[in-house]
Each structure stands twice: as structure tokens, then as C-alpha cells.
Amino acid sequence: MPQSNNKKKIIIDTDPGIDDAMAIFVALQSPEVEVIGITTIYGNVYTTLATRNALHLLEIAGRTDIPVAEGSHVTITKGTKLRIASFVHGTDGLGNQNFPPPKGKPIEQSAADFLIEQARHYPGEVTVVALGPLTNLALAIQADPDFTKNIGQIALLGGAFAVNGNVNPAAEANIFGDPDAADIVFTCGADVLAVGINVTHQVVFTDADRDKLAQSSGQFAQYLCKILDVYFSYHHDAYSTKGVYLHDPTALLAAVDPSLITCAEGVVRVQTVGITRGLTIFYNKQKRFGEVTEWSNKPSVKVAVTVDAPRIVNLVMERLMNS
């Protein structure tokens, strides 16, 4: 079936993950989006399991036509000691449901090569929605000098701008997962939009929303209700909240519809060493410093500062219930 050309071409770079599953399903249910591929990365689970989960989610959705490219198993500096958040999403990443293994296989190409090839094939048209650590994107930037010109936008879930992190007070999980890669992405010169936990923590999917989802006959709604338990109980313990944060769906929808957020523009650098490793520091350009700094002459990026949370929750509910 030929796709209409006005759809936004999106590659989701992801570490599924319960809210990743929600974001993938929302993307597949969004009429303005054409998902042209999924690339996988470690984060909520190790990369091998992220690939398995991505293939499984596409099978559930009846979209095995979408290619899955497996990403890096190590950080950009070849670090093998990865932080894996299985205590948030379950050891299988999908709420400990022990789903049967998917029949599909990832494509031969690596995630970085797939990103480079798709950006070259559709110059200026592809948006990468990065929902995990940024290793695959940093590898693509390093391997192909034209990647930053060819890619349309990099919309990433990452950073904690002027709020505490969620791994420790300094760092948000995706940036902390590979701070060196994040710094490469933030300073690469592409059109970068960062959606941090300063905005995603305002987007809460409540117990009542989950009950509404459970009553709907949508297949995605039913599937997600099965896997959401672990995620809800983690949020209850960690944040004393009766609901879960919709991190990944917020980043995805902000990439699709920029009117859902407002942004500030400036230079972002990432601290890569010490106790604040993973800290994202935004320079708002209000002051011209007398000295040359590590922020001088670096390209600007967009950072989300406000979000229309009710509209995002409504969109997520609507698209999952009509599945």
C-alpha cells in the first residue's frame, strides 16, 4: 500500500520498556505518522532483549513489515557496565508477562547503519525519536559526516533541565546511560529537540485512566493493561504517586505535534565525569561571557519547557482505545 507523502517518517530508537511499548503503539495508531523502522538500544533492558521486545510488540500490532535494526551493546566509549532499569519495567522489560519469543528477526544492518541509510534515502524527512541512551545516534554521527545534514530531526527523551534527575539528583536515566554519546548528539548541529523529565513528570497517566483503558475493547489497550502493573507499583513506591509518568509517549507526540510543547533554544552540554556525570547543562544565551567556554560556538538545540499534559493524556487514551 503506497504511503501518502505528507506523513511524518519516524524511526523509533528504543529500549522497550513499558512506556516505550505505549509510545510504539501510539505511533502506529497515529494517522500523521509512518514508522519506517525501529532501532534498539540498552536501557530498560539489555540490547538483545530490547530487540526481542521490539519484534514482539510489532507482532502484537500486526506490523511485522516494519524493520528492526539491533543497536549497540556497549556505550560509545566501549563501556560494558550498563545501567539497566529492570526494577522499573520487570526483568523482561514488559511487566514480567513471559511472552513467547517473537518469530521475527532483526535485519542484518546495525542500528547506526540503518539510521545513516534512511537519512540518506529521505534527506531532511526522517525524524528519529530516541527513547533510550543515545549511543546509536552518536555512532551514526561519527560514522557519516553527512548524517547531521540528512536527518530531519532528532527528538530525544532525555535530560532533567533545572529539576532533579531520576537516577540520582544530577542525572536523568537516558543521558546517564551514555553521557559521552549524549554530548555528541547535543553538539552535532542537527535539529535536536530534547524532552526532559522536567516536562514528562507533568504528564501523569492515573489509576482512573488505566481503568478506562481496561474497559475499552482496543487490542493495544488490553495488552498494555496486562503489562502496566509493575510500572504502577514502581511509581507508587518511588514517587508515592497514584499514576505513572508518560515519558516516552510525551517525547513521541511532541515530535509529531510541536504545538503540544513550548521550547527554549540554547546550547546543551553534558557532564561526562564525576558525581554529576549525566548532568545536562543548558546555556540560555542571556549573558555573553567574557571568556571562551565549553558552550561557546556550539550549535543551539531546542529544550521543552512547558507541556500540554491533558492533551497528551487524551491523545494517548484515544489512540490506544481505538486500536
Side-chain angles (χ1 to χ4, degrees):
M1 185 179 110
Q3 292 286 356
S4 63
N5 290 333
N6 55 2
K7 289 191 175 205
K8 201 182 253 264
K9 291 181 170 57
I10 284 183
I11 297 171
I12 303 175
D13 186 64
T14 175
D15 54 338
I18 291 167
D19 58 333
D20 303 74
M22 289 180 95
I24 290 167
F25 288 160
V26 168
L28 295 176
Q29 285 296 109
S30 295
E32 59 281 75
V33 167
E34 179 192 351
V35 179
I36 63 169
I38 291 182
T39 51
T40 62
I41 192 63
Y42 56 84
N44 294 324
V45 291
Y46 287 101
T47 309
T48 307
L49 185 50
T51 302
R52 175 179 156 147
N53 287 352
L55 290 164
H56 162 75
L57 292 166
L58 289 173
E59 251 168 49
I60 293 287
R63 289 302 308 272
T64 51
D65 56 305
I66 296 172
V68 173
E70 184 156 278
S72 183
H73 293 255
V74 294
T75 67
I76 195 85
T77 54
K78 305 282 191 283
T80 52
K81 189 171 173 294
L82 307 175
R83 176 188 180 269
I84 302 299
S86 54
F87 57 90
V88 181
H89 298 268
T91 46
D92 65 352
L94 295 172
N96 295 328
Q97 295 294 308
N98 298 318
F99 294 109
K103 294 182 185 67
K105 296 266 184 293
I107 59 174
E108 290 293 305
Q109 250 176 339
S110 71
D113 288 344
F114 178 76
L115 289 166
I116 289 166
E117 183 195 70
Q118 295 301 312
R120 199 177 281 156
H121 195 58
Y122 303 108
E125 288 182 50
V126 177
T127 298
V128 181
V129 178
L131 303 177
L134 294 165
T135 319
N136 293 331
L137 280 154
L139 287 167
I141 290 161
Q142 285 182 340
D144 178 12
D146 292 330
F147 180 73
T148 52
K149 289 200 289 282
N150 289 338
I151 200 72
Q153 184 175 51
I154 297 169
L156 65 94
L157 171 73
F161 298 93
V163 300
N164 268 181
N166 57 359
V167 172
N168 59 43
E172 176 276 332
N174 287 343
I175 305 298
F176 186 77
D178 194 344
D180 302 274
D183 196 58
I184 290 168
V185 172
F186 277 120
T187 56
C188 74
D191 176 3
V192 174
L193 164 65
V195 178
I197 56 177
N198 47 305
V199 297
T200 60
H201 275 185
Q202 297 172 47
V203 187
V204 179
F205 181 81
T206 62
D207 290 10
D209 293 326
R210 179 170 63 160
D211 294 344
K212 209 157 115 190
L213 210 55
Q215 283 156 22
S216 118
S217 57
Q219 62 159 31
F220 295 161
Q222 288 304 316
Y223 175 90
L224 287 165
C225 282
K226 282 212 290 266
I227 68 172
L228 272 165
D229 270 351
V230 169
Y231 201 52
F232 266 83
S233 58
Y234 166 76
H235 281 74
H236 187 266
D237 295 346
Y239 297 98
S240 312
T241 141
K242 282 192 170 5
V244 297
Y245 299 126
L246 292 184
H247 303 292
D248 297 11
T250 300
L252 175 98
L253 287 167
V256 176
D257 181 356
S259 77
L260 292 163
I261 52 169
T262 62
C263 294
E265 290 204 24
V267 177
V268 172
R269 295 302 308 266
V270 182
Q271 174 63 288
T272 57
V273 293
I275 66 167
T276 57
R277 179 175 157 81
L279 179 68
T280 44
I281 305 168
F282 174 72
Y283 165 39
N284 63 13
K285 300 201 167 173
Q286 278 163 10
K287 177 178 196 296
R288 207 163 57 242
F289 295 101
E291 303 77 26
V292 170
T293 72
E294 302 290 351
W295 285 257
S296 302
N297 309 319
K298 291 283 188 271
S300 283
V301 299
K302 296 197 264 309
V303 171
V305 286
T306 71
V307 61
D308 189 338
R311 242 176 90 209
I312 286 185
V313 175
N314 283 342
L315 279 167
V316 167
M317 292 294 286
E318 199 176 280
R319 291 182 181 181
L320 295 176
M321 286 165 73
N322 294 332
S323 56

